[in-house]
Amino acid sequence: MYPDSPENATLTVPEAKLDAVKINNLYFFYPGKARTAVLVIPEWRIARGARVFLKGPSGSGKSTLLNLLAGILVANKGNIEILGQNLGALSSRARDRFRAAHIGMVFQQFNLIHYLSVLDNIRLAAHFGKKDMVDLTVTAKQLFDALGLDNMLITKKAGELSVGQQQRVAIARALINSPELLIVDEPTSALDSDTRDAFMKILLEISQKQGNTLIFVSHDTALTHHFNHIVNLAEINQAGAVEYVC
Amino acid sequence: MFVNVAWHSLLNRKYSVLLALISVAISTFVLLGVEHIRHEAKESFSNTVSGVDLIVGARTGPLNLLLYSVFRMGNATNNIAWESYRELAADAKVAWTIPISLGDSHRGYRVMGTTQDYFAHFRFGQNTPLTFAEGRPSAQLFDVVIGAEVARKLDYRLHDHIILAHGLGQASFSLHDDKPFQIVGILRATGTPVDQALYVSLQGMEAIHLNWKDGVKIPGRQMAAHALEADKLTPKSITAFMVGLKSKMATFHVQRQINHYQREPLLAILPGIALTELWQMMSVMENTLRLISILVLFSSLLGLSTMLLSSIRERQREIAVMRAIGASPLFIFLVIQTEALLISLSGIIIAICALAAGILFTQALLAENYGVFISHFSMNSQILGILGIIIASTLVLALIPSLSAYRMSLHQGLAARS
């Protein structure tokens, strides 16, 4: 299933298209007095279909990197290509649309708009993804089955669900547009250990089934055995190593 | 889609939304109410007299003449000699005249001496003639016709006998109690000062003053009522008269002619122009009311913006979630604008319903107790214009919270820190 596996190698896909994420000479700093670079990544690639565990201590620029990958922040220098698309070449409106259609995101907590029903949360994501969903409810219910969620929950207000249920609904929401890239940011830190294991199992199963590229951000190294790539952000980010000042 | 999000977001914060909604509804109610009453007052004001080309009185200010001849407020400074009146009324350009003789009252309501011509030619509203609810115009010397409000307030019926008082004021001590009048007609309500007066013939007016001198009864000079003959009772003077011309074209000519009358100083006014002047004097009041209601509305819309702005802080996470699933900052901007619009629109609808219902229920009460006639609330172009301005101001003031949300969605990353 991986790009370097024999069956994929025979395909005539341009090499760039094989990468889910391709970063070249990335340079980023937040506007402000310090002007010290937060991220400096000369090169980083994630192959399509890979399952990456991204670890790093807090303050190492993980959130910044995720914002850059999602196209919410824009690099000051360098390129970020997601699925072969250079994000810097897109307008901010187009980046929003690209994110909606191709990237699914799940966070630590508060993934849902609590005053909307579960179905409306999912519907909103589908709306932004511009997916033509005639059978949105059917797709949502299939996802719910796969995630072990009760179908009755679909009409409930998101705020009425337990944290564990909310996290699983967040996966359903992230997967409704069948995104190629799934970014998950410390999704288990609000869960107790039993729920966490169940959650991990479901997440990995469903993303494997859909064939998404998975970027899993966490500092919980106990989870690393689920992944075939373990990346330490501190190793790829040279911002701390050299004092880059603009 | 953003309407759905905005709607549920508002439902989620029902209490603060409800307060903002009530505040917008009340202020819109006040603004529309003031506008409606102003419109109605102006309408009824300009409806008090119609079809009259000129009003003539002794030389005084135009407003004074208008006030005492039409609104029956204040007093004439001087009278017009009967001969002058006859001469001017006989002019070839004059179609009809209505003489007016004032000075007496009945329990606070003024008594006007006039002729049959008053009932035949006087018009109010949109050229509406006076009609009788009961009875007929006065024919006999001691017949009196009363206005609708007089009849209702004093509970008078046809054929009741009443006594007029000399001079004005609620409690006059000099009564014409030797010559009672009989009510022969009750006018239909007009919503104008016509309702608040009693009408006798000029001769009747003259008759009750025969044994009076300088406003005081002369003792011992009692006269038998039946001894009076109408044709011998020519008045020496009248207070004012209204003129209808054969051709409107002659109005200014006749006006000039009267103003330059040689025998005595007279003044002729065009009622329409004088009414406009009078209304303009009241425009300070009118504009003050308007200004206050606009400020009330402005502050309530500002309150609405403040409510939304403070909600933005609580909605950081929600904005982050929307951004993560691909919402553009514009979408978030539109959600906030839509929320403001929904509140403002609901407020307007509530205000209109409350105003329409309020007018419907108080209409009879106002007409009965104050003689004020207010028509149903209706959506005219002016009201629509005001509503348009309210909605536009809502959108402009909602820029404060929605731009704040827009900026937040641009700069705040995906993972809002809890």
Side-chain angles (χ1 to χ4, degrees):
Chain A
M1 281 295 196
Y2 302 122
D4 51 350
S5 61
E7 64 264 42
N8 275 355
T10 56
L11 293 174
T12 56
V13 180
E15 204 188 333
K17 296 273 183 191
L18 295 174
D19 291 322
V21 175
K22 184 179 167 193
I23 292 180
N24 266 322
N25 297 319
L26 172 73
Y27 180 91
F28 182 83
F29 60 85
Y30 281 106
K33 46 212 172 292
R35 292 222 151 190
T36 318
V38 180
L39 282 177
V40 177
I41 302 177
E43 191 176 17
W44 188 41
R45 287 178 179 217
I46 298 173
R48 281 198 185 215
R51 282 188 283 164
V52 179
F53 183 94
L54 183 65
K55 63 176 183 180
S58 41
S60 61
K62 279 182 302 187
S63 296
T64 308
L65 180 61
L66 294 190
N67 277 315
L68 285 163
L69 292 178
I72 287 190
L73 294 176
V74 185
N76 298 98
K77 271 183 205 162
N79 285 333
I80 300 177
E81 280 181 24
I82 305 288
L83 310 163
Q85 173 64 55
N86 183 357
L87 290 183
L90 296 175
S91 69
S92 81
R93 185 84 193 84
R95 277 201 308 276
D96 292 334
R97 262 186 253 127
F98 183 83
R99 174 170 67 259
H102 301 287
I103 305 173
M105 309 194 83
V106 179
F107 302 112
Q108 184 177 351
Q109 225 179 333
F110 313 117
N111 277 292
L112 304 175
I113 297 168
H114 63 107
Y115 55 77
L116 292 181
S117 72
V118 168
L119 184 61
D120 276 346
N121 266 284
I122 294 171
R123 193 180 278 148
L124 195 60
H127 166 79
F128 291 126
K130 296 267 189 292
K131 279 274 157 71
D132 214 11
M133 295 259 185
V134 196
D135 49 353
L136 176 78
T137 325
V138 178
T139 318
K141 281 185 173 161
Q142 284 167 359
L143 280 167
F144 267 44
D145 287 340
L147 289 162
L149 279 168
D150 186 351
N151 269 334
M152 301 299 283
L153 293 178
I154 209 153
T155 51
K156 277 205 171 182
K157 284 245 153 65
E160 293 168 11
L161 271 56
S162 73
V163 180
Q165 286 171 329
Q166 287 191 28
Q167 289 302 81
R168 278 183 284 167
V169 171
I171 298 178
R173 201 262 330 263
L175 293 177
I176 192 74
N177 295 324
S178 331
E180 291 87 338
L181 180 61
L182 185 59
I183 298 176
V184 190
D185 184 12
E186 310 220 26
T188 55
S189 61
L191 304 178
D192 58 58
S193 61
D194 290 344
T195 330
R196 183 185 63 191
D197 292 341
F199 178 87
M200 284 308 294
K201 189 168 167 288
I202 288 168
L203 173 67
L204 292 165
E205 267 175 23
I206 203 162
S207 80
Q208 188 137 26
K209 206 185 284 172
Q210 286 212 348
N212 330 99
T213 307
L214 175 64
I215 301 178
F216 188 97
V217 183
S218 182
H219 53 250
D220 187 355
T221 44
L223 301 170
T224 51
H225 65 273
H226 294 294
F227 298 88
N228 52 9
H229 296 285
I230 291 125
V231 178
N232 188 349
L233 183 58
E235 282 166 18
I236 56 167
N237 181 16
Q238 301 183 353
V242 191
E243 193 69 7
Y244 287 86
V245 176
C246 193
Chain B
M1 200 69 196
F2 50 80
V3 177
N4 184 35
V5 174
W7 174 248
H8 283 97
S9 153
L10 290 180
L11 285 185
N12 180 49
R13 287 172 289 130
K14 13 183 172 350
Y15 295 113
S16 53
V17 168
L18 197 64
L19 285 178
L21 177 64
I22 292 170
S23 141
V24 172
I26 290 175
S27 59
T28 309
F29 179 86
V30 169
L31 182 62
L32 293 183
V34 164
E35 271 313 298
H36 186 69
I37 288 166
R38 197 182 63 86
H39 181 258
E40 287 297 306
K42 193 171 184 175
E43 196 85 324
S44 84
F45 203 75
S46 55
N47 276 347
T48 46
V49 56
S50 132
V52 173
D53 294 314
L54 290 169
I55 298 172
V56 184
R59 189 160 297 168
T60 175
L63 291 182
N64 189 33
L65 175 53
L66 181 80
L67 283 174
Y68 75 71
S69 64
V70 175
F71 292 93
R72 313 219 162 91
M73 295 162 87
N75 292 303
T77 48
N78 214 337
N79 285 345
I80 305 173
W82 181 252
E83 290 74 26
S84 306
Y85 163 62
R86 288 314 310 162
E87 190 187 331
L88 291 166
D91 192 292
K93 292 184 278 296
V94 173
W96 48 262
T97 58
I98 301 168
I100 296 169
S101 189
L102 297 163
D104 281 1
S105 67
H106 174 72
R107 297 177 67 178
Y109 293 101
R110 296 212 179 184
V111 176
M112 177 175 139
T114 184
T115 59
Q116 301 273 358
D117 290 331
Y118 183 70
F119 306 106
H121 296 300
F122 186 81
R123 298 283 188 274
F124 68 97
Q126 307 301 315
N127 217 17
T128 315
L130 297 176
T131 49
F132 284 83
E134 287 175 85
R136 52 175 175 80
S138 41
Q140 304 291 313
L141 195 55
F142 293 112
D143 283 355
V144 60
V145 169
I146 60 175
E149 190 188 320
V150 178
R152 199 185 54 238
K153 277 289 180 63
L154 302 179
D155 198 23
Y156 283 163
R157 305 275 149 73
L158 225 49
H159 311 306
D160 282 357
H161 289 270
I162 59 171
I163 289 164
L164 307 186
H166 192 74
L168 309 168
Q170 194 95 32
S172 180
F173 291 108
S174 40
L175 301 170
H176 296 293
D177 47 5
D178 52 338
K179 302 183 189 71
F181 280 74
Q182 189 188 18
I183 297 170
V184 297
I186 297 170
L187 292 170
R188 216 178 281 284
T190 62
T192 71
V194 169
D195 298 351
Q196 301 157 11
L198 299 89
Y199 305 89
V200 300
S201 66
L202 284 176
Q203 289 77 18
M205 192 72 133
E206 196 62 24
I208 54 175
H209 292 100
L210 268 183
N211 51 345
W212 287 56
K213 198 174 189 330
D214 297 330
V216 182
K217 248 186 253 186
I218 303 167
R221 278 192 65 181
Q222 293 287 342
M223 297 187 76
H226 57 82
L228 299 165
E229 283 175 55
D231 50 352
K232 288 182 185 165
L233 293 165
T234 308
K236 286 171 206 62
S237 64
I238 56 170
T239 316
F241 63 97
M242 295 175 178
V243 180
L245 296 170
K246 285 175 182 152
S247 156
K248 302 270 179 216
M249 306 286 281
T251 308
F252 290 104
H253 182 75
V254 175
Q255 186 189 24
R256 200 160 47 242
Q257 198 180 319
I258 293 171
N259 286 341
H260 291 113
Y261 189 63
Q262 290 297 320
R263 289 178 56 173
E264 58 180 311
L266 295 181
L267 172 74
I269 57 166
L270 280 73
I273 293 177
L275 278 172
T276 312
E277 271 177 37
L278 188 55
W279 185 253
Q280 275 166 357
M281 277 175 62
M282 315 229 278
S283 68
V284 178
M285 181 66 180
E286 186 193 345
N287 289 337
T288 311
L289 270 179
R290 209 181 208 176
L291 184 70
I292 291 171
S293 50
I294 287 171
L295 288 177
V296 168
L297 180 77
F298 179 76
S299 80
S300 89
L301 290 181
L302 211 57
L304 168 63
S305 285
T306 313
M307 188 276 286
L308 287 174
L309 184 65
S310 62
S311 83
I312 300 298
R313 264 176 237 292
E314 303 155 17
R315 298 171 74 179
Q316 283 193 16
R317 282 178 202 148
E318 176 189 329
I319 289 171
V321 169
M322 288 199 206
R323 289 288 282 150
I325 61 176
S328 61
L330 182 67
F331 181 91
I332 286 152
F333 174 87
L334 287 176
V335 167
I336 310 296
Q337 284 281 337
T338 308
E339 287 182 13
L341 198 61
L342 282 175
I343 293 176
S344 166
L345 278 178
S346 323
I348 286 172
I349 290 167
I350 291 171
I352 288 175
C353 292
L355 191 60
I359 289 170
L360 206 63
F361 289 126
T362 53
Q363 240 169 359
L365 207 71
L366 283 174
E368 187 127 343
N369 295 322
Y370 302 99
V372 176
F373 289 77
I374 287 184
S375 62
H376 297 291
F377 182 76
S378 61
M379 299 292 278
N380 55 33
S381 61
Q382 205 185 353
I383 297 288
L384 287 177
I386 290 170
L387 297 185
I389 291 170
I390 295 175
I391 290 169
S393 329
T394 306
L395 293 180
V396 169
L397 286 175
L399 284 177
I400 304 167
S402 44
L403 281 177
S404 151
Y406 184 90
R407 269 201 307 273
M408 182 185 280
S409 61
L410 268 186
H411 300 306
Q412 177 195 273
L414 289 173
R417 297 288 162 226
S418 44

